[in-house]
């Protein structure tokens, strides 16, 4: 479609929801005019949001990226159902020899996608603290050194999660930053001081705040204390399982919508029935609400990003505009994406239409309809 006009209550770049008429030409937002137009191609009774930007997705719909990088294609085709229009496929700690083929598979499969856009790869591990391994296989964890780290990444890597307290981590953070890769602190047992050193070295995000990290204690505030009081945004898995709703509220009050990014950390059972699944080489048991190893350790989630938006409104009492910002402008800013996460002239025409109950009814990726619910 070369030209498309969508009109209704819209999240503006200033963080307000107001009537707008969004004019799309050749997949790009050409104009955003104040006021609604009843003659638009799509007249929205609910809300128009920028497409959701997902920074941490291990897999979904029966596919696991750590086992098969090519499966990003089938997942990308379905993610618009959840409002996601761009994402970072996430590869968790894997055998060292597996990385080149996984990265190549993702890169090749990303060339010709329908649906959501692949922004690059998030490598979560292997430079993690064994004490905070979560569901990662400790046999594959490593200690960073700059030469090895620079051989490990390629141009498709956009984000790396590592533990800043590991020997050699600060040099690795600086080297990755110099390559234009965002580095996140996670699966970490860092003290407050070690975390602050990591932030000073260039850490730009926090991976699933509170999960798999040192605890927030009043005399030893650890990595959460450093992240909560720094300007660096943090991801949170707002599924009501990974953290208590009061902790989500605490994080929201400390960080605001510009400091929190909603992530799902979903694994292959997202969008699938309960049962037995895999996350990398780990066996995962999935029930109606969670995904766990046999010992009860959480192993990713089955959350969808639209559900996370609804949950964060419920848990924190934040405004809808703030909740949407946590799924759009804030994650786009983490990756320095100028054309994503906002409805503004020059941005990609990635748009999500939500009904009054915040369920996705239509999703557009670069101006093309990528999903429409039966009631749309
Ligand atoms: Zn993790």
């Amino acid at each position: 479609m070369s030209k498309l006009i969508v009109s209704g209550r819209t999240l503006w770049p200033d963080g307000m929801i107001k009537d707008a008429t969004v004019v799309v030409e050749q997949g790009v937002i050409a104009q955003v005019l104040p006021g609604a137009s009843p003659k638009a191609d799509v007249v929205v009774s609910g809300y128009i949001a920028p497409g959701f930007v997902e920074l941490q997705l291990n897999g979904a719909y029966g596919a696991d990226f750590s086992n098969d990088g090519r499966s990003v294609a089938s997942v990308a085709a379905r993610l618009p159902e959840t409002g996601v229009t761009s994402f970072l496929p996430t590869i968790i700690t894997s055998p060292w020899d597996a990385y080149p083929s996984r990265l190549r598979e993702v890169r090749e499969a990303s060339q010709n996608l329908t649906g959501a856009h692949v922004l690059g790869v998030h490598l979560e591990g292997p430079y993690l603290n064994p004490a905070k391994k979560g569901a990662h296989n400790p046999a594959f964890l490593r200690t960073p050194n700059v030469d090895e780290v620079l051989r490990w990444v390629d141009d498709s890597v956009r984000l790396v999660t590592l533990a800043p307290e590991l020997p050699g981590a600060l040099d690795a953070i600086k080297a990755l930053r110099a390559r234009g890769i965002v580095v996140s602190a996670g699966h970490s047992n860092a003290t407050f001081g070690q975390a602050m050193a990591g932030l000073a070295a260039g850490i730009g995000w926090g991976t699933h705040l509170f999960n798999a990290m040192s605890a927030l204690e009043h005399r030893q505030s650890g990595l959460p204390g450093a992240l909560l009081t720094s300007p660096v945004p943090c991801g949170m898995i707002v599924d009501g399982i990974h953290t208590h709703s009061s902790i989500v509220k605490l994080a929201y009050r400390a960080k605001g919508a510009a400091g929190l990014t909603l992530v799902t950390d979903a694994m292959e059972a997202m969008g699938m029935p309960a049962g037995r699944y895999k996350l990398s080489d780990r066996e995962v048991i999935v029930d109606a609400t969670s995904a766990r190893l046999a010992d009860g350790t959480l192993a990713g989630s089955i959350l969808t990003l639209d559900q996370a938006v609804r949950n964060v409104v419920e848990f924190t009492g934040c405004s809808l505009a703030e909740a949407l910002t946590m799924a759009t402008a804030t994650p786009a800013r983490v990756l320095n994406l100028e054309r994503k996460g906002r409805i503004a002239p020059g941005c990609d025409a990635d748009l999500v239409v939500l009904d009054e109950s915040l369920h996705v009814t239509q999703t557009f990726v670069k101006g093309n309809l990528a999903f429409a619910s039966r009631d749309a």
Side-chain angles (χ1 to χ4, degrees), residues 57-352:
L57 183 72
N58 307 295
Y61 308 114
D64 178 55
F65 305 141
S66 296
N67 280 318
D68 181 2
R70 291 163 300 191
S71 63
V72 296
S74 61
V75 174
R78 292 197 59 187
L79 281 178
E81 296 171 23
T82 69
V84 172
T85 56
S86 57
F87 69 110
L88 289 180
T90 301
I91 295 173
I92 75 160
T93 300
S94 298
W96 183 249
D97 296 344
Y99 283 103
S101 33
R102 281 304 91 72
L103 290 171
R104 189 179 63 250
E105 288 165 4
V106 173
R107 201 169 52 243
E108 288 174 1
S110 305
Q111 303 295 320
N112 249 326
L113 288 180
T114 55
H117 179 66
V118 171
L119 296 165
V121 173
H122 175 178
L123 292 173
E124 189 190 29
Y127 305 112
L128 309 178
N129 192 321
K132 295 292 174 185
K133 63 187 186 301
H136 292 241
N137 189 333
F140 304 140
L141 295 178
R142 300 174 80 85
T143 304
N145 76 67
V146 169
D147 290 344
E148 179 185 291
V149 167
L150 290 178
R151 269 185 279 120
W152 168 63
V153 294
D154 70 12
D155 289 344
S156 67
V157 176
R158 293 298 289 268
L159 180 64
V160 167
T161 292
L162 55 70
E165 71 277 19
L166 295 179
L170 299 181
D171 287 338
I173 293 166
K174 290 176 197 158
L176 288 165
R177 288 295 306 133
R179 284 264 321 241
I181 295 169
V182 179
V183 184
S184 183
H187 289 268
S188 159
N189 208 20
T191 63
F192 177 81
Q194 289 168 328
M196 293 303 286
L199 289 164
I203 279 173
W205 197 52
T207 299
H208 43 57
L209 179 63
F210 290 109
N211 293 115
M213 60 177 66
S214 38
L216 179 71
E217 293 176 27
H218 60 302
R219 289 193 188 87
Q220 297 188 358
S221 65
L223 179 56
L227 290 171
L228 283 166
T229 53
S230 88
V232 166
C234 300
M236 276 198 99
I237 309 164
V238 184
D239 62 354
I241 305 276
H242 278 77
T243 51
H244 190 266
S245 60
S246 62
I247 288 292
V248 179
K249 195 167 188 173
L250 172 75
Y252 161 68
R253 291 204 172 169
K255 304 289 292 179
L260 284 184
T261 60
L262 299 178
V263 297
T264 65
D265 195 17
M267 45 77 74
E268 66 173 1
M270 184 196 114
M272 302 292 283
R276 287 178 176 271
Y277 291 89
K278 297 279 275 207
L279 175 62
S280 188
D281 65 328
R282 317 312 300 277
E283 298 282 343
V284 180
I285 301 158
V286 175
D287 61 19
T289 56
S290 66
R292 297 175 189 272
L293 303 184
D295 68 3
T297 303
L298 287 166
S301 88
I302 52 171
L303 178 67
T304 59
L305 208 51
D306 60 319
Q307 182 67 53
V309 168
R310 294 189 292 274
N311 288 348
V312 82
V313 171
E314 181 188 331
F315 294 174
T316 69
C318 73
S319 69
L320 173 59
E322 289 177 306
L324 293 172
T325 297
M326 295 180 218
T328 57
T330 306
R333 211 182 68 241
V334 170
L335 297 185
N336 302 307
L337 302 173
E338 292 182 352
R339 296 170 61 112
K340 302 282 185 196
R342 293 178 305 134
I343 298 177
C347 290
D348 291 334
D350 297 347
L351 302 171
V352 181

